[in-house]
Amino acid sequence: MRPKTDLGALLSHQPLFRNLDADQLALMTAACHQVNIEKHQFVFHRGDPANGLYVVAVGSIKLAVPAANGQEKVIEFFGPGDAFGEAFMFLDKPYMVEAQALDDSLLIWIDKRDLDAAIDRDPSLAKRMLAGLSVRLHTLVKDIETVNLQNAMQRVVMYLLSQPREDGEMHFPFNKGIIASKLGLTPETLSRLLHQLTDAGLISVDGKRVLIPDVAALEHRMYAETARIS
Amino acid sequence: MRPKTDLGALLSHQPLFRNLDADQLALMTAACHQVNIEKHQFVFHRGDPANGLYVVAVGSIKLAVPAANGQEKVIEFFGPGDAFGEAFMFLDKPYMVEAQALDDSLLIWIDKRDLDAAIDRDPSLAKRMLAGLSVRLHTLVKDIETVNLQNAMQRVVMYLLSQPREDGEMHFPFNKGIIASKLGLTPETLSRLLHQLTDAGLISVDGKRVLIPDVAALEHRMYAETARIS
DNA sequence: CGAAAGTTTGAGTTGCTTCAACCGCGGTGG
DNA sequence: CCACCGCGGTTGAAGCAACTCAAACTTTCG
């Protein structure tokens, strides 16, 4: 457990709380709690009451909706600086998703009432939260579009291209099964498609590392798929 | 075109602007514009700049993302009292969806800058917008869950049960093709599934009217599907 | 080193789509 | 007044993309 004294510095580095004046920061620091979560541990489960908001300081969190048979559909990943759980907090409804740590993580937790008070004091905080929710809404709409309007290959290629890469190489940040769920595929299908791309000479896969020798060619492959659909 | 004098009264009936004091209301009234949209007309297209927010006063609006071949995926419907377009406004990004009137509609439009100013004056407005965005986020997550974790029949039955009904009768508010798109199905599939439910004696369809003699039986049918999947 | 989890590969299946034809109805104009 | 068109909806046949099931292989980690 890290010492409580970290909290002020930690907070001031989060997008949500940047540029707060000293008084505000002190108030928020008092209101916040550190939460350490080990890899594979759950932050909350579906049905838990949502009376606060989390911000990821370090680590990564997976938001997913559990299915009947032990399956799950991954909704989104959160990394350092991202806030999650706000939407359910504002609605005063229990979580309909579950949050699980994909790495050992450090979270900041803020109670709804303290946040309410902070918003009253500083409207810019509200605006930042509105911006944050808007980003999430945007990505969700994009995901819905992706799942409904693109086929499996397009989704995989888009994902590969969307991930940060250096020297023409990208990394799967998590297990392939989890990525597959995020893309709305089974692990088997993802595996087969990666194999297909490899056969086509567009990528080469080694564990979590993917080499993309010709990005333009891969993009072209995706548009070829688009043409097939229309 | 309705007279401008309606605007104050109109505004004060919208959830977003309820409980504003007289000064606030006057300010907002000055900032807002009425927009009349005829059925089938577009409020905005994909790519248009988003420098304001719309509130539906009367009518109904369809938000959809257009696909390559003239197809489209319906994201959401909005009725009286609903706000839309906020997310893109806050992000300062052009719309990635298009909004089309499904009936003759009256909208209220507010410029981003005026809204910003209003939020600074009244934090409760910000909270209402946060709540509004949260609701939308919630429904989108629910939609993603539905599309990924439920089969076609479950989605149709859930939709039938989710619509308001009186005397065991529900209405398709729009063309079946539009409903099908919202459910992530083709019109053909929707038609077939409705037929199946009819054959099973669970519903009877007459145009846009659907009679549900035994709601519990229909619910049971849906759970039977769930069992088949797991 | 051994167990458990993750990944790949193969074979077979299926739920939904696609394509195409057809029906019914409301509007329009000859 | 009726023929014609167009659109929304239905129905049928055929196809296929992605899934399921199962087994082998690989990596991770205690």
Side-chain angles (χ1 to χ4, degrees):
Chain A
M1 192 69 178
R2 288 149 213 256
K4 187 99 177 178
T5 47
D6 275 352
L7 241 180
L10 215 54
L11 270 189
S12 63
H13 286 90
Q14 305 310 324
L16 202 54
F17 302 113
R18 222 186 294 272
N19 305 328
L20 291 186
D21 62 45
D23 284 358
Q24 289 274 3
L25 191 59
L27 280 167
M28 287 313 293
T29 308
C32 290
H33 299 264
Q34 287 184 42
V35 182
N36 274 98
I37 300 275
E38 287 176 24
K39 188 171 177 171
H40 299 312
Q41 295 292 109
F42 284 88
V43 183
F44 52 75
H45 292 88
R46 179 172 211 164
D48 288 351
N51 32 35
L53 151 169
Y54 292 90
V55 178
V56 181
V58 309
S60 48
I61 301 292
K62 174 195 77 182
L63 221 68
V65 8
N69 46 347
Q71 300 281 92
E72 60 168 27
K73 160 64 190 178
V74 173
I75 303 289
E76 206 156 346
F77 304 118
F78 297 103
D82 294 333
F84 66 94
E86 336 92 293
F88 302 97
M89 179 195 74
F90 284 120
L91 286 179
D92 279 315
K93 287 192 175 184
Y95 294 111
M96 62 169 294
V97 296
E98 58 186 28
Q100 189 179 16
L102 294 173
D103 294 303
D104 291 347
S105 303
L106 172 61
L107 308 180
I108 302 164
W109 185 82
I110 305 135
D111 187 277
K112 176 181 170 52
R113 283 162 302 181
D114 294 319
L115 200 67
D116 262 2
I119 288 176
D120 287 333
R121 260 181 272 113
D122 179 10
S124 85
L125 180 58
K127 286 184 192 167
R128 253 168 293 181
M129 299 213 57
L130 283 169
L133 281 182
S134 295
V135 171
R136 302 270 295 291
L137 211 54
H138 191 266
T139 64
L140 282 189
V141 169
K142 203 130 191 43
D143 285 350
I144 292 182
E145 177 185 5
T146 299
V147 170
N148 282 280
L149 264 29
Q150 323 242 81
N151 65 21
M153 181 58 92
Q154 283 177 294
R155 281 180 265 166
V156 171
V157 173
M158 282 212 65
Y159 178 79
L160 292 178
L161 292 172
S162 74
Q163 286 301 104
R165 63 177 170 277
E166 23 184 339
D167 305 333
E169 192 168 318
M170 66 82 61
H171 260 71
F172 287 114
F174 318 111
N175 286 348
K176 294 202 183 111
I178 294 178
I179 307 290
S181 171
K182 173 81 216 297
L183 294 176
L185 303 172
T186 57
E188 293 96 322
T189 301
L190 174 57
S191 174
R192 278 183 248 271
L193 293 178
L194 289 175
H195 188 94
Q196 246 178 274
L197 289 172
T198 304
D199 283 352
L202 292 168
I203 63 173
S204 57
V205 184
D206 171 36
K208 289 190 165 47
R209 305 177 86 96
V210 180
L211 201 78
I212 308 179
D214 187 350
V215 173
L218 195 55
E219 281 168 351
H220 182 265
R221 173 75 160 97
M222 200 183 59
Y223 291 124
E225 289 284 333
T226 310
R228 261 207 330 83
I229 288 181
S230 337
Chain B
M1 194 71 179
R2 286 149 213 258
K4 188 102 179 176
T5 47
D6 277 350
L7 243 180
L10 215 53
L11 270 188
S12 64
H13 286 90
Q14 306 308 325
L16 201 53
F17 303 112
R18 222 186 293 272
N19 303 326
L20 292 185
D21 61 43
D23 284 358
Q24 289 274 4
L25 190 60
L27 280 167
M28 288 312 293
T29 306
C32 290
H33 299 264
Q34 288 185 43
V35 182
N36 273 96
I37 299 276
E38 286 176 24
K39 188 169 179 174
H40 300 311
Q41 295 292 108
F42 285 88
V43 183
F44 52 75
H45 292 88
R46 179 171 212 165
D48 288 352
N51 32 34
L53 152 170
Y54 292 90
V55 178
V56 180
V58 310
S60 47
I61 301 292
K62 174 194 76 181
L63 222 68
V65 7
N69 45 348
Q71 300 283 90
E72 59 169 28
K73 161 65 190 179
V74 172
I75 303 289
E76 207 157 344
F77 304 118
F78 297 103
D82 294 332
F84 66 95
E86 336 91 293
F88 302 96
M89 179 194 75
F90 283 121
L91 287 179
D92 279 317
K93 285 191 178 186
Y95 294 111
M96 62 171 294
V97 296
E98 58 186 28
Q100 188 179 16
L102 294 172
D103 295 302
D104 291 346
S105 302
L106 172 62
L107 309 180
I108 303 164
W109 185 82
I110 305 137
D111 187 276
K112 177 181 168 50
R113 284 162 301 181
D114 294 319
L115 200 67
D116 261 2
I119 288 176
D120 287 333
R121 260 180 272 113
D122 179 9
S124 85
L125 180 58
K127 285 184 191 166
R128 253 168 292 179
M129 299 213 57
L130 283 169
L133 281 182
S134 296
V135 170
R136 303 269 297 288
L137 212 54
H138 191 267
T139 63
L140 282 189
V141 169
K142 203 128 194 44
D143 285 350
I144 291 182
E145 177 185 6
T146 300
V147 170
N148 282 280
L149 265 29
Q150 324 242 82
N151 64 25
M153 180 58 92
Q154 282 176 294
R155 281 180 265 166
V156 170
V157 172
M158 282 211 65
Y159 177 79
L160 292 178
L161 291 171
S162 74
Q163 288 299 104
R165 63 175 170 278
E166 23 184 338
D167 307 332
E169 191 168 320
M170 66 82 62
H171 259 73
F172 288 114
F174 317 112
N175 286 350
K176 293 200 182 116
I178 294 178
I179 308 289
S181 170
K182 173 81 215 294
L183 295 175
L185 303 172
T186 57
E188 292 97 323
T189 302
L190 176 56
S191 174
R192 278 184 250 271
L193 292 177
L194 288 175
H195 188 93
Q196 248 178 273
L197 289 172
T198 304
D199 283 351
L202 292 167
I203 64 174
S204 56
V205 184
D206 171 38
K208 289 189 164 48
R209 304 178 87 96
V210 179
L211 203 77
I212 308 179
D214 187 350
V215 173
L218 195 54
E219 281 167 353
H220 183 267
R221 173 74 159 97
M222 198 182 59
Y223 292 126
E225 290 283 333
T226 310
R228 265 208 325 86
I229 288 182
S230 333

Coordinates of all heavy atoms in Angstrom, one line a residue, chain B residues 151-152 186 188-189 192, chain C residues 15-20:
Chain B
N151 N -29.4 -13.5 -29.7 CA -29.7 -13.8 -31.1 C -30.8 -13.0 -31.6 O -31.5 -12.2 -30.9 CB -29.9 -15.3 -31.3 CG -31.1 -15.8 -30.6 OD1 -32.0 -15.0 -30.3 ND2 -31.1 -17.1 -30.2
A152 N -31.1 -13.2 -32.9 CA -32.1 -12.3 -33.5 C -33.5 -12.4 -32.8 O -34.1 -11.4 -32.6 CB -32.3 -12.7 -35.0
T186 N -31.8 -7.6 -40.9 CA -32.4 -7.2 -42.2 C -33.9 -7.2 -42.1 O -34.4 -7.9 -41.2 CB -32.0 -8.1 -43.3 OG1 -32.4 -9.4 -42.9 CG2 -30.5 -8.1 -43.5
E188 N -35.9 -8.6 -43.9 CA -36.4 -9.9 -44.2 C -36.4 -10.8 -42.9 O -37.4 -11.5 -42.6 CB -35.5 -10.6 -45.3 CG -35.6 -10.0 -46.7 CD -34.5 -9.0 -46.9 OE1 -34.1 -8.3 -45.9 OE2 -34.0 -9.0 -48.0
T189 N -35.3 -10.7 -42.2 CA -35.2 -11.5 -41.0 C -36.3 -11.1 -40.0 O -36.9 -11.9 -39.4 CB -33.8 -11.3 -40.4 OG1 -32.8 -11.8 -41.3 CG2 -33.7 -12.2 -39.1
R192 N -39.6 -12.5 -41.0 CA -39.6 -14.0 -40.7 C -39.9 -14.3 -39.3 O -40.6 -15.2 -38.9 CB -38.4 -14.6 -41.2 CG -38.3 -14.9 -42.7 CD -37.1 -15.7 -43.1 NE -36.2 -14.8 -43.9 CZ -36.2 -14.7 -45.2 NH1 -37.1 -15.4 -45.9 NH2 -35.4 -14.0 -45.8
Chain C
dG15 P -29.2 -22.2 -35.7 OP1 -28.8 -22.9 -34.5 OP2 -30.5 -22.6 -36.4 O5' -29.2 -20.7 -35.5 C5' -27.9 -20.1 -35.2 C4' -27.8 -18.7 -35.9 O4' -27.3 -18.9 -37.2 C3' -29.1 -17.9 -36.1 O3' -28.8 -16.6 -35.8 C2' -29.5 -18.2 -37.5 C1' -28.2 -18.4 -38.2 N9 -28.2 -19.4 -39.3 C8 -29.0 -20.5 -39.4 N7 -28.7 -21.2 -40.5 C5 -27.7 -20.5 -41.1 C6 -27.0 -20.8 -42.3 O6 -27.1 -21.7 -43.1 N1 -26.0 -19.8 -42.6 C2 -25.8 -18.7 -41.8 N2 -24.8 -17.9 -42.2 N3 -26.4 -18.4 -40.7 C4 -27.3 -19.4 -40.4
dC16 P -29.9 -15.5 -35.6 OP1 -29.6 -14.7 -34.5 OP2 -31.3 -16.2 -35.7 O5' -29.7 -14.6 -37.0 C5' -28.4 -14.1 -37.2 C4' -28.2 -13.9 -38.7 O4' -28.3 -15.1 -39.4 C3' -29.3 -13.0 -39.3 O3' -28.7 -11.7 -39.6 C2' -29.7 -13.8 -40.6 C1' -28.6 -14.9 -40.7 N1 -29.1 -16.1 -41.4 C2 -28.4 -16.6 -42.5 O2 -27.5 -15.9 -42.9 N3 -28.8 -17.8 -43.1 C4 -29.9 -18.4 -42.6 N4 -30.2 -19.6 -43.2 C5 -30.6 -18.0 -41.4 C6 -30.2 -16.8 -40.8
dT17 P -29.4 -10.6 -40.5 OP1 -28.9 -9.3 -40.1 OP2 -30.8 -10.9 -40.6 O5' -28.7 -11.0 -42.0 C5' -27.3 -11.1 -42.1 C4' -26.9 -11.4 -43.5 O4' -27.4 -12.7 -43.8 C3' -27.5 -10.4 -44.5 O3' -26.4 -10.0 -45.3 C2' -28.5 -11.3 -45.3 C1' -28.0 -12.7 -45.1 N1 -29.1 -13.7 -45.0 C2 -29.1 -14.8 -45.9 O2 -28.2 -14.9 -46.8 N3 -30.1 -15.7 -45.8 C4 -31.1 -15.7 -44.9 O4 -32.0 -16.5 -44.8 C5 -31.1 -14.5 -44.0 C7 -32.2 -14.4 -42.9 C6 -30.1 -13.6 -44.1
dT18 P -26.7 -8.8 -46.4 OP1 -25.5 -8.0 -46.4 OP2 -28.0 -8.2 -46.1 O5' -26.8 -9.6 -47.8 C5' -26.0 -10.7 -48.0 C4' -26.4 -11.4 -49.3 O4' -27.4 -12.4 -49.1 C3' -27.0 -10.4 -50.4 O3' -26.4 -10.7 -51.6 C2' -28.5 -10.7 -50.4 C1' -28.5 -12.2 -50.0 N1 -29.7 -12.7 -49.2 C2 -30.2 -13.9 -49.6 O2 -29.8 -14.6 -50.4 N3 -31.3 -14.3 -48.8 C4 -31.9 -13.5 -47.8 O4 -32.9 -14.0 -47.2 C5 -31.3 -12.3 -47.5 C7 -31.9 -11.4 -46.4 C6 -30.2 -11.9 -48.2
dC19 P -26.5 -9.7 -52.9 OP1 -25.2 -9.7 -53.5 OP2 -27.1 -8.5 -52.4 O5' -27.5 -10.5 -53.8 C5' -27.4 -11.8 -54.1 C4' -28.6 -12.4 -54.7 O4' -29.6 -12.8 -53.7 C3' -29.3 -11.5 -55.7 O3' -29.6 -12.2 -56.8 C2' -30.6 -11.1 -54.9 C1' -30.8 -12.3 -54.1 N1 -31.7 -12.2 -52.9 C2 -32.5 -13.2 -52.5 O2 -32.6 -14.2 -53.2 N3 -33.3 -13.0 -51.4 C4 -33.2 -11.9 -50.7 N4 -34.0 -11.8 -49.6 C5 -32.4 -10.9 -51.0 C6 -31.6 -11.0 -52.1
dA20 P -30.1 -11.5 -58.2 OP1 -29.3 -12.0 -59.3 OP2 -30.1 -10.0 -57.9 O5' -31.6 -12.0 -58.3 C5' -31.9 -13.3 -58.0 C4' -33.4 -13.5 -57.8 O4' -33.7 -13.2 -56.4 C3' -34.2 -12.5 -58.6 O3' -35.2 -13.2 -59.4 C2' -34.9 -11.6 -57.6 C1' -35.0 -12.5 -56.4 N9 -35.0 -11.8 -55.1 C8 -34.3 -10.7 -54.7 N7 -34.7 -10.3 -53.5 C5 -35.6 -11.1 -53.1 C6 -36.3 -11.3 -51.9 N6 -36.2 -10.4 -50.9 N1 -37.2 -12.3 -51.8 C2 -37.4 -13.1 -52.8 N3 -36.7 -13.1 -54.0 C4 -35.9 -12.1 -54.1

